[in-house]
Amino acid sequence: MQKAFNEHKHHIVISGYISAGSTIKTFTFADTSWNNVTVEGEAGGKAVLENIQLKFDGELLSNGTNISNIVVKNITFRGNISVLQKLSGADTQPGGIGTNYLGISFRRTTNALVDHCTIYDTSDDLTCVTLGSDKITFQYCHFYFSNAWVNMNPNPIWNWVGKNQDLASERLAMVIGANRNDSYEYGGKMLHVTLHHNWFGPNMKGRPLIRGFVHEYNNYFDNSTGRSDQYNANQIGSGSVIYSEANYFYKTNQSNQVGLDQNGDSYKFYERNNVYNGTTGTSQKGASFPSTTNFGYTYTAESASLVPSDVQNNAGPK
């Protein structure tokens, strides 16, 4: 895989299991020479990248220029818990290889598709869309944390953003927009993201945290393990515009929760035809979809009642 990257291959096929060993490895696609790249697992669903992050990062490019046209599909991304437990020092502080370890990250990237991937047990969010990225779709993906992660022993204390926390409690799915200034309303009308037929959970603590223009439909938010400290599914952030429809929320806690970077920040939250089964806590109720809603593409949302079966049977590598 390193050889393919060094040779600037634009179609990389993963066969079987590849591990970074006793460290964490990030492949950074950092300029427009990486436009039009596909990284995919071969058919059969056995492609695994362990302790490896794919980072599409155009933040050093000139303003207005993003990396574009990226496809990642049919791969399982997983963290090795024993390796993460052994990290120490700068690796576990803000900016460290542990605290910045995701499966896939998009920063200043436009037109990307993540299709039939599984991401679990990474020590930051499982994935992110930030820094003015735009037109990103996640479909038929599974995001979760294992029981081994929840029960890890020893359970080290790390510092992600100036606050110490135990590693086992850092179980976050996805962030869309890094902060208030990197949001749809306050950051230049970018961060259009579509989430459909994804499986979030089990063992999730929270998220997606959304500061973008996000259309989410037919996703399964799964707290079937019944943990009382979770699962705050949709975290509605500053500058967001969220359209949520025909999703299935199962035993989630505070299923839609507003959390703004500054008091008075704007947000818009619309919903229709969602199912809330066994949910707890107080949840934000969305407004009705506007009659003029137009996402720029055609789609058909299936009944939310069909979502758990469809998503569990079809999400992840095949």
Side-chain angles (χ1 to χ4, degrees), residues 22-37:
S22 60
T23 187
I24 296 170
K25 172 69 176 177
T26 297
F27 290 93
T28 302
F29 303 78
D31 58 57
T32 55
S33 68
W34 288 109
N35 289 357
N36 309 308
V37 162

Side-chain angles (χ1 to χ4, degrees), residues 6 8 13 66 120 184 188 211 216 224 234 261 280 295 298 309:
N6 291 346
H8 232 70
V13 180
N66 284 12
Y120 72 100
Y184 176 72
R211 298 184 179 97
E216 52 180 11
S224 55
N234 276 332
D261 295 297
T280 58
F295 300 110
T298 59
S309 176

Side-chain angles (χ1 to χ4, degrees), residues 6 13 27 32 37 66 82 102 117 123 136 148 167-168 175 178 189 210 212 239 246 268-269 271 275 278 280:
N6 291 346
V13 180
F27 290 93
T32 55
V37 162
N66 284 12
S82 63
L102 304 85
C117 288
S123 48
I136 312 292
L167 182 57
V175 61
K189 307 297 185 181
I210 299 173
K268 297 176 182 176
F269 175 51
E271 66 171 330
V275 168
T280 58

Side-chain angles (χ1 to χ4, degrees), residues 1 26 44 60 66 75 98 130 132 153 155 165 201 218 221 245 249 256 274 282-283 298 314:
M1 186 174 179
T26 297
L60 297 182
N66 284 12
I75 301 172
T130 62
N153 184 19
N155 183 12
Q165 179 176 293
N218 289 155
F221 297 93
E245 64 175 316
F249 297 81
N256 304 294
N274 291 317
T282 301
S283 182
T298 59
N314 293 297

Side-chain angles (χ1 to χ4, degrees), residues 93-105:
Q93 301 299 307
I97 62 170
T99 52
N100 276 355
Y101 170 40
L102 304 85
I104 308 169
S105 56

Side-chain angles (χ1 to χ4, degrees), residues 61 68 73-74 83 107 127 132 144 159 163 185 193 265 310 318:
L61 299 174
S68 62
K73 63 181 181 180
N74 216 39
V83 170
R107 303 156 67 93
T127 188
Y144 75 101
N159 182 347
K163 180 181 179 182
E185 290 290 0
V193 176
D265 279 351
D310 183 6
K318 301 297 181 184

